[in-house]
Amino acid sequence: MKVLVAVKRVVDYNVKVRVKSDNTGVDIANVKMSMNPFDEIAVEEAVRLKEKGVVTEIIAVSCGVTQCSETLRTAMAIGADRAILVETTEELQPLAVAKLLKALVDKEQPGLIILGKQAIDDDCNQTGQMLAALGDMPQATFASKVEVADGKATVSREVDGGMETLSISLPAVITTDLRLNEPRYVTLPNIMKAKKKQLDIFKPEDLGVDVSPRLKTLKVSEPPKRSAGIKVPDVATLVAKLKTEAKVL
């Protein structure tokens, strides 16, 4: 069984993002970029399924600028067998990415598609669900445990009231949550091996997909800075301030 794993190149989670001076977006000039943490979990889960003998081939996919190939090399260093880059300089929104992935699913015919539940740059949490809808496939989101056997996937996921367990038929779409696994450390030998693995490059037009944006960002601004706290002499003063200033009582 093939598994297709989508990975996104984002600003590294340790970097404090800065808004551009003209408020048109986030400044990514000379900023460290890395794989989206949720997508790392997706790749790790695919590799673990391969180690169990459930999966025969892992295909990593990324959509975006040329530098996304570095993210794909990281995915191959973790354990992906080959990679596909859909190269474009257009701003890719979730629907466009879902359409590109749908075209690749039709081409590769994987038995399972695994994505991170969301990217840490736009926090949209939409691509997996849109892909499942476009491909008319069952989906299980926010997975915290995945087991695959006999043409079905059993997925545990956290919900407000506790845990929910789903059984879905393959092919299917699964999106990963933080508690699914802990990605392995990428070793230097595996990084060197990844450089020799196959990396195919397509353009959106090769896949017959229109990636023009449907949404327009009007303004990006930083959240307001928190004001400094104050000390109060007694409970009565605290209650008075909560009533008159904070207006929460």
Side-chain angles (χ1 to χ4, degrees), residues 11-235:
V11 175
D12 189 88
Y13 68 93
N14 287 312
V15 174
K16 186 181 186 305
V17 294
R18 301 186 306 274
V19 175
K20 291 180 181 177
S21 56
D22 58 1
N23 295 110
T24 57
V26 173
D27 185 6
I28 59 171
N30 302 314
V31 170
K32 183 185 177 186
M33 308 291 282
S34 60
M35 188 190 300
N36 178 47
F38 290 103
D39 297 340
E40 279 189 83
I41 293 168
V43 177
E44 173 67 26
E45 191 61 25
V47 173
R48 292 188 184 190
L49 288 172
K50 187 179 179 184
E51 289 171 346
K52 290 177 184 175
V54 177
V55 170
T56 54
E57 185 181 27
I58 301 168
I59 308 162
V61 177
S62 191
C63 307
V65 294
T66 308
Q67 291 88 335
C68 290
S69 59
E70 299 165 11
T71 308
L72 288 170
R73 293 292 178 196
T74 302
M76 288 190 283
I78 294 172
D81 297 294
R82 59 187 174 94
I84 298 172
L85 170 61
V86 182
E87 189 177 4
T88 177
T89 55
E90 286 270 3
E91 177 201 350
L92 290 177
Q93 294 173 350
L95 179 59
V97 176
K99 287 180 176 178
L100 291 170
L101 293 175
K102 167 66 167 57
L104 291 172
V105 167
D106 292 341
K107 178 181 171 61
E108 296 288 345
Q109 295 293 310
L112 185 62
I113 303 99
I114 309 179
L115 307 86
K117 71 170 184 176
Q118 66 194 76
I120 61 171
D121 52 1
D122 56 20
D123 272 337
C124 281
N125 179 17
Q126 295 173 346
T127 306
Q129 292 89 323
M130 287 178 169
L131 173 60
L134 289 171
D136 194 24
M137 293 180 283
Q139 61 175 311
T141 56
F142 315 136
S144 58
K145 185 179 180 183
V146 175
E147 292 178 357
V148 178
D150 303 322
K152 291 185 179 293
T154 304
V155 181
S156 298
R157 58 196 298 270
E158 295 179 17
V159 294
D160 290 343
M163 296 293 292
E164 179 180 70
T165 303
L166 305 174
S167 178
I168 55 177
S169 302
L170 302 181
V173 176
I174 293 176
T175 67
T176 61
D177 210 341
L178 278 175
R179 276 171 282 282
L180 179 58
N181 62 52
E182 186 173 334
R184 67 194 66 192
Y185 180 74
V186 180
T187 62
L188 184 58
N190 286 340
I191 292 171
M192 300 308 291
K193 287 177 189 174
K195 292 182 179 180
K196 297 178 182 177
K197 291 184 179 179
Q198 180 182 343
L199 172 58
D200 298 319
I201 299 176
F202 296 97
K203 300 285 186 185
E205 49 268 28
D206 298 335
L207 302 171
V209 177
D210 174 19
V211 296
S212 53
R214 265 53 172 188
L215 305 173
K216 182 181 178 182
T217 302
L218 301 179
K219 184 181 179 184
V220 177
S221 57
E222 291 189 17
K225 287 184 170 56
R226 292 180 62 182
S227 55
I230 59 169
K231 289 183 178 180
V232 293
D234 50 46
V235 174

